[in-house]
Amino acid sequence: MSVRKRKADDDGLDQNMLSPHGSPAPAPRTIAPRPSKKIRSNEISGRPLALPRLLETLDAQSLRSVLQQICERHPDIGTEVVASAPRPSVAAALDVLAQYQDKLRKAFPFGGNPGSDYAYNRVRQSLVELINALTDYTPHYLPPNEHQTSTSLTFLDSATKFVHELPEWDSQSHKYHKDNAYDEISRAWALVITEASKKGGGFQLHSGGWDQMLAKHNEQSGGRMQTAVNALAGLGWGGNTSMGGPTDSIRNQLFSGTYGTTNQSVRVGLW
């Protein structure tokens, strides 16, 4: 019986296997605990949107409507909104007025006489909405609520242009809309002029060219802004009237209250 000779390598292998200093034993495997399953309800039911999600779905008009209803039901909230809201700029107010004006223009029937009673009945609601907006926005830019004369005059200059472009009606019974609008905007000018006269004698009106702008407005209105012209004439500064130039001629007419009174009223705007 033959005996296989053990090789030196075998002896070394056996010794390594038996030696405590041999190959390190494999590290025990650590098994991460499985996450517990989220217990789901077997039933699902509808629920209202949370407030932030609901507000995301509202357009500007809907949001204004909701806020207005809340303020009407809770006056204290309305007071807080007024106190917290930023002051509307002149540009923002004019943009709103332009939207009302555009709505008025689109309300006119195609063809026919734009000054007829039929056209008036078609656009009356839009006309009243524009005039009411003018009436509501104008006092916001008048003293003492508005302290900057330049801001007041900038708004009044543009607001007067809206009045110029109000439709002229054939029927005398409908003309009061535009006549009243001219009367109100003219008295607004007069108030600003009077307050400005207390600051440097109204020099800002003269240096800013507002006297000439008012003269043009009065001319375009057919003399229906005489109240404002009279307030300007009452300031008492007329400069050198001996030069005889166009500007001095206009200024002299302003002070005498005759500027624009000899010109016939013309139809303006798109109507």
Side-chain angles (χ1 to χ4, degrees), residues 9 21 29 44 57 91 104 154 192 226 254 266:
D9 293 339
H21 303 289
R29 294 177 59 187
I44 185 170
T57 67
L104 172 61
T154 298
V192 175
Q226 194 61 42
L254 274 172
V266 295

Side-chain angles (χ1 to χ4, degrees), residues 195-206 235 237:
E195 292 300 316
S197 67
K198 302 174 184 178
K199 306 173 184 178
F203 179 76
Q204 183 178 1
L205 297 169
H206 174 49
L235 294 181
W237 43 256

Side-chain angles (χ1 to χ4, degrees), residues 42-80:
N42 293 330
E43 298 182 358
I44 185 170
S45 61
R47 65 178 183 274
L49 281 172
L51 179 60
R53 294 302 184 192
L54 177 60
L55 295 177
E56 287 178 339
T57 67
L58 300 179
D59 57 23
Q61 181 61 39
S62 300
L63 189 58
R64 282 194 297 267
S65 178
V66 170
L67 183 59
Q68 183 173 350
Q69 292 177 16
I70 294 174
C71 293
E72 289 174 352
R73 291 197 299 264
H74 305 281
D76 53 331
I77 296 179
T79 302
E80 185 174 351

Side-chain angles (χ1 to χ4, degrees), residues 227-245:
T227 300
V229 172
N230 292 341
L232 184 63
L235 294 181
W237 43 256
N240 184 2
T241 59
S242 63
M243 295 177 64

